[in-house]
Amino acid sequence: MAHAYEMALGMLYPLSVGAQVYYLKGMPVPSVLLEAMRQVRPTIILTVPLIIEKVYKSVCRAVDADRRLSLMRRRTPWLLDIFLGAKLRKMTGGCLKFFGIGGAKLSPEVEAFLHRIRFPYAIGYGLTETAPLVCNACVGRTRVGSIGVPAYGVEVCLDNVDPATGEGEIVARGRNVMLGYYKDPSRTAKAIRQDGWFHTGDLAAMDAKGRFYIRGRLNNVILGATGENIYPEEIEFVINSYPGVGESLVVERGRDLVGLVHMEEGAEHGSLADAAKSILEYVNKRVNKQSALARIEMLTEPFKKTATQKIRRFLYMTPSHA
């Protein structure tokens, strides 16, 4: 409730238009969430990527375990998509019109799945400092990998654009932008220019139709040996697509890129050493040479997270915290 995403979009706005809001009593793990949706039959759900990504993985496991569904995936994937779309809509209560995802970047693999099965998902992008919405991609207007177009009443553009890549920092201006950080004028001056533009710290590109595509956090970008930008988030999406992986982080150790991995509870992976070797081979076959990992470090404890289920990346930037 202390987070702007939940306070503004999850409570204040629904109540202002006369909607009912249901809150779970525990953590929204897939089993708890799906049971609640069957009972409530919601029309609108707001969540973070981690939740739908876990649901997607459970769907993939179900397909792998069912001989008929596995055969359908190989021979008639379009038919499997129709079946899974109907199944997921039923699992969410059968009345869903809007499944909003925000708070972090959604895995492209998961979004491509939602797009194929015609699930009514929407993407929102913003920050606490912008109350919180900056860009949105509404149901039926999504494009895989895009955070959409500027929200109503918000100006958005790219600052300090690299002419070679077309990437720049997202800056926003509007009545939604905060006045400043409480009793912190120096930090406020760094974040908000005199002309009102707020620096988000997110690097993105923009297509011909004005849709934005986030590449990663400005503070997270790793400079490669030949000067190229390496976005750890993109490598993490690949790691997380490996069967049994729960979550991951890519960090720099000296000049090496290292993947920190925590497996899903109950995942069958043999020894941690064997799992690390298999994941390393899997990832390095799917990323370019500059983004190849030197090694995988397996974590036995879950990553520490924020209220919106983002991993506290700064805690794992040194070997002592890994």
Side-chain angles (χ1 to χ4, degrees):
M1 287 289 213
H3 195 275
Y5 175 26
E6 179 54 41
M7 177 61 73
L9 301 182
M11 187 185 77
L12 296 180
Y13 179 66
L15 293 181
S16 74
V17 297
Q20 290 178 298
V21 182
Y22 290 82
Y23 287 102
L24 300 178
K25 294 182 179 180
M27 289 297 291
V29 296
S31 58
V32 173
L33 186 61
L34 292 174
E35 178 58 30
M37 288 189 289
R38 278 193 287 267
Q39 293 183 28
V40 175
R41 303 186 71 199
T43 55
I44 296 172
I45 294 175
L46 295 179
T47 186
V48 294
L50 179 63
I51 304 302
I52 191 62
E53 287 169 2
K54 286 188 175 181
V55 171
Y56 168 73
K57 286 188 175 183
S58 68
V59 170
C60 290
R61 286 195 294 268
V63 172
D64 290 338
D66 191 297
R67 186 177 60 83
R68 291 172 297 178
L69 294 181
S70 296
L71 185 64
M72 193 183 299
R73 180 171 55 189
R74 292 195 300 271
R75 296 185 177 180
T76 54
W78 60 271
L79 186 58
L80 178 63
D81 288 339
I82 293 175
F83 171 78
L84 293 178
K87 184 73 172 177
L88 193 54
R89 281 187 285 273
K90 182 178 180 181
M91 289 168 63
T92 53
C95 298
L96 195 62
K97 298 179 180 178
F98 184 98
F99 190 92
I101 304 171
K105 189 176 180 181
L106 178 64
S107 161
E109 179 184 350
V110 176
E111 186 175 4
F113 167 74
L114 297 176
H115 194 77
R116 288 198 314 273
I117 66 173
R118 298 185 180 182
F119 195 68
Y121 78 99
I123 300 293
Y125 161 76
L127 305 90
T128 297
E129 293 91 336
T130 58
L133 203 58
V134 171
C135 289
N136 54 247
C138 294
V139 175
R141 297 183 181 180
T142 55
R143 190 176 183 88
V144 176
S146 174
I147 57 172
V149 297
Y152 177 78
V154 184
E155 296 178 79
V156 183
C157 67
L158 298 179
D159 185 60
N160 195 26
V161 177
D162 184 338
T165 63
E167 299 169 0
E169 182 186 5
I170 296 179
V171 293
R173 183 168 64 178
R175 294 177 62 189
N176 61 314
V177 174
M178 66 172 185
L179 298 178
Y181 294 107
Y182 184 61
K183 293 185 178 181
D184 198 340
S186 60
R187 188 181 175 198
T188 298
K190 292 179 181 179
I192 307 175
R193 300 196 312 230
Q194 290 186 348
D195 55 2
W197 288 99
F198 170 74
H199 288 261
T200 66
D202 287 311
L203 285 172
M206 183 176 69
D207 66 16
K209 294 187 176 181
R211 293 176 296 225
F212 291 87
Y213 298 77
I214 289 183
R215 297 291 184 249
R217 289 289 294 171
L218 189 61
N219 292 338
N220 294 344
V221 174
I222 298 171
L223 192 63
T226 56
E228 72 284 353
N229 287 341
I230 298 173
Y231 302 105
E233 295 92 342
E234 294 182 351
I235 307 173
E236 289 158 11
F237 285 138
V238 178
I239 299 175
N240 293 343
S241 69
Y242 184 88
V245 169
E247 296 173 285
S248 66
L249 274 185
V250 171
V251 297
E252 197 172 19
R253 296 277 190 262
R255 293 187 177 183
D256 292 337
L257 290 179
V258 177
L260 309 181
V261 174
H262 180 254
M263 302 299 286
E264 291 181 321
E265 186 176 350
E268 296 182 7
H269 51 74
S271 70
L272 291 180
D274 290 341
K277 182 179 179 181
S278 297
I279 295 170
L280 184 66
E281 293 176 355
Y282 174 87
V283 173
N284 287 345
K285 286 180 180 179
R286 290 165 173 78
V287 299
N288 59 40
K289 183 178 180 181
Q290 291 76 18
S291 299
L293 300 177
R295 65 182 183 277
I296 294 289
E297 294 179 4
M298 306 297 289
L299 305 187
T300 56
E301 296 293 327
F303 288 101
K304 299 183 187 303
K305 302 185 185 70
T306 66
T308 53
Q309 299 301 296
K310 293 179 185 176
I311 297 173
R312 296 183 182 275
R313 188 178 293 267
F314 71 93
L315 295 176
Y316 299 90
M317 300 305 289
T318 59
S320 60
H321 288 92

